[in-house]
Amino acid sequence: MPLTPHADGVVARAPGKLYIAGEYAVVEPGHRAVLVAVNRFITLRITPCSPAGGYAGTIRSRLYDTGSRPWRHRPQDGVAEDVGCDDDYVISAIRVVEALVAEGGGRLGSFNLGISSELDEADGRKLGLGSSAAVTVATVRAVAGFYGLSLDDSRVYKLAMLASDAVQPIGSGGDIAASAVTGWVDYASPDRVWLRRARQRAQARDSTGDLLEADWPGLCLRRLPVPSVRLQVGWTGAPASTPALVAGVQAGSRGADDVYSSFLRASQDTLASLTTAIEDDDAGQVMSAITRNRVLLVQLGRISGRVIETPELTRLVEIALDHGATAKSSGAGGGDCGIALCPPATDLFALRAAWETAGIRPLDLSVYSQDSSAACAADVAEARADSLTASPVKVTP
Ligand code: PMV
Ligand code: MG
């Protein structure tokens, strides 16, 4: 039966992420990283509306200068587009989900979309928790829910990845994987040259559905068990630009092919040990893999002439080591956050106090897993409690 738009509102949310290990290497197809989803969210609310003045609805977000933007279905082909601005992650995600709906013979609807974020500081400063990925994943879930499409996490990842690749093709998609799968995630990035061609072909032939069912070369997407080491997160207060750092490191490594290849090999070996150690819940091995990955990233910074571990991040790591934990930069580095993994005996209070004294802000974050029944119940309750719409709200997933 063709899909039809919901008469009710839909609320979906997607968590932010942090890299645990494997950064930079994971940008290369088939190379692995471990990430976690964290308990801060982008929440997205869809309310059906009647099309007016040629617009299908508005997208409201405090991140837009104007607070809201109209969107519409292009008259010539019904494809969703922003009116008067460049397409962003939100419109791109609406577009890929609606492509799937239209391929199934469904009718496209009109809706307003409201976005709220807990992923940045109250003053709008960037923490590096992956808000672009979370907004893309939340939009995919909400729009799919609006059209009554039921998607598993791997299809949510694939649709969000297609949406994101159309806007910003440089990332590995690790942030999308963590936000879609949640918990501790073992990820290897797909071949994005293949993906770009496949995406363009799917657009031209109306075969997004087939691409969703295909095996993507290089891709691995797997939930890991939760290890007993505790995650602590420190924020340096300095925002860093991931695309600039990734481009800089790649450009800087050019001409040092051998060194770069050995970095990729060593990172891959380290990630294999890390995932095995997490599966065995072997705290000692988890910690030694993190230490090895830290050294590899510092070396990569050196060969490419870019600072991945800034002096603030080094301070964060050294304080964690003094407290019996292990630590490293998280993500592209250059600022943002560092992570510490702490064996059960660590005095977390003392570690956090020492960070604070050194100007590192401990963030109150924990790992978020979607399928823990308590978390799901909390999601539903929260979405209902803060619903502003008069009509009943359907929570997805
Ligand atoms: O700084 P973040 O959290 O956006 O992470 C970037 C991680 C890289 O591996 C350097 C890039 C990527 O897209 O995976
Ligand atoms: Mg970052």
Side-chain angles (χ1 to χ4, degrees), residues 14-350:
K17 66 85 186 74
L18 280 168
Y19 271 88
I20 300 294
E23 297 92 337
Y24 289 99
V26 69
V27 176
E28 305 292 342
H31 286 71
R32 289 164 82 176
V34 169
L35 299 98
V36 292
V38 295
N39 61 342
R40 286 206 195 180
F41 301 88
I42 296 271
T43 302
L44 218 132
R45 183 183 307 276
I46 286 188
T47 330
C49 64
S50 309
Y55 299 147
T58 56
I59 304 170
R60 253 183 317 107
S61 163
R62 95 180 143 71
L63 298 177
Y64 295 154
D65 299 340
T66 49
S68 85
R69 290 179 181 176
W71 71 282
R72 65 173 186 167
H73 290 117
R74 268 191 325 227
Q76 66 272 31
D77 56 9
V79 169
E81 68 174 9
D82 268 319
V83 182
C85 352
D86 289 341
D87 293 337
D88 65 0
Y89 293 102
V90 178
I91 203 79
S92 189
I94 296 175
R95 200 177 276 175
V96 287
V97 178
E98 287 196 338
L100 210 57
V101 172
E103 280 170 25
R107 181 167 58 82
L108 300 185
S110 300
F111 53 86
N112 294 319
L113 214 146
I115 303 166
S116 59
S117 170
E118 303 166 355
L119 295 187
D120 297 307
E121 277 298 88
D123 62 6
R125 280 197 293 171
K126 173 180 170 285
L127 295 175
L129 298 179
S131 51
S132 308
V135 84
T136 312
V137 169
T139 308
V140 166
R141 287 199 189 281
V143 176
F146 177 69
Y147 287 108
L149 262 176
S150 151
L151 299 171
D152 63 10
D153 292 343
S154 125
R155 290 179 177 86
V156 168
Y157 158 83
K158 284 181 169 173
L159 287 169
M161 194 65 186
L162 291 171
S164 165
D165 191 66
V167 177
Q168 168 61 276
I170 199 169
S172 65
D175 43 7
I176 293 173
S179 187
V181 174
T182 77
W184 287 72
V185 179
D186 176 16
Y187 177 69
S189 65
D191 180 337
R192 283 178 317 290
V193 174
W194 174 88
L195 183 60
R196 198 143 316 136
R197 285 202 196 110
R199 176 168 64 74
Q200 283 156 359
R201 231 182 359 251
Q203 246 164 16
R205 298 183 188 164
D206 291 333
S207 58
T208 302
D210 293 342
L211 184 50
L212 215 54
E213 301 313 315
D215 281 336
W216 289 16
L219 173 65
C220 160
L221 194 58
R222 188 168 72 100
R223 172 78 76 82
L224 290 166
V226 178
S228 52
V229 283
R230 301 273 298 276
L231 173 70
Q232 295 291 301
V233 185
W235 184 46
T236 60
S241 160
T242 301
L245 271 157
V246 173
V249 167
Q250 286 188 335
S253 315
R254 233 169 264 141
D257 288 354
D258 289 355
V259 193
Y260 186 60
S261 313
S262 11
F263 161 74
L264 291 180
R265 260 196 315 277
S267 179
Q268 203 65 338
D269 287 350
T270 307
L271 268 287
S273 320
L274 177 62
T275 47
T276 307
I278 291 174
E279 282 167 325
D280 296 346
D281 197 15
D282 182 335
Q285 289 301 324
V286 168
M287 290 172 64
S288 77
I290 294 296
T291 305
R292 280 210 302 282
N293 196 218
R294 175 198 176 200
V295 173
L296 290 175
L297 288 168
V298 171
Q299 283 169 350
L300 178 69
R302 225 169 268 146
I303 59 167
S304 63
R306 300 294 186 285
V307 181
I308 294 175
E309 188 178 295
T310 60
E312 292 79 18
L313 286 166
T314 302
R315 211 152 54 210
L316 175 154
V317 173
E318 282 169 357
I319 292 170
L321 293 175
D322 287 347
H323 287 78
T326 186
K328 61 182 273 300
S329 53
S330 172
D336 284 346
C337 294
I339 51 126
L341 292 182
C342 313
T346 313
D347 183 344
L348 299 180
F349 185 78

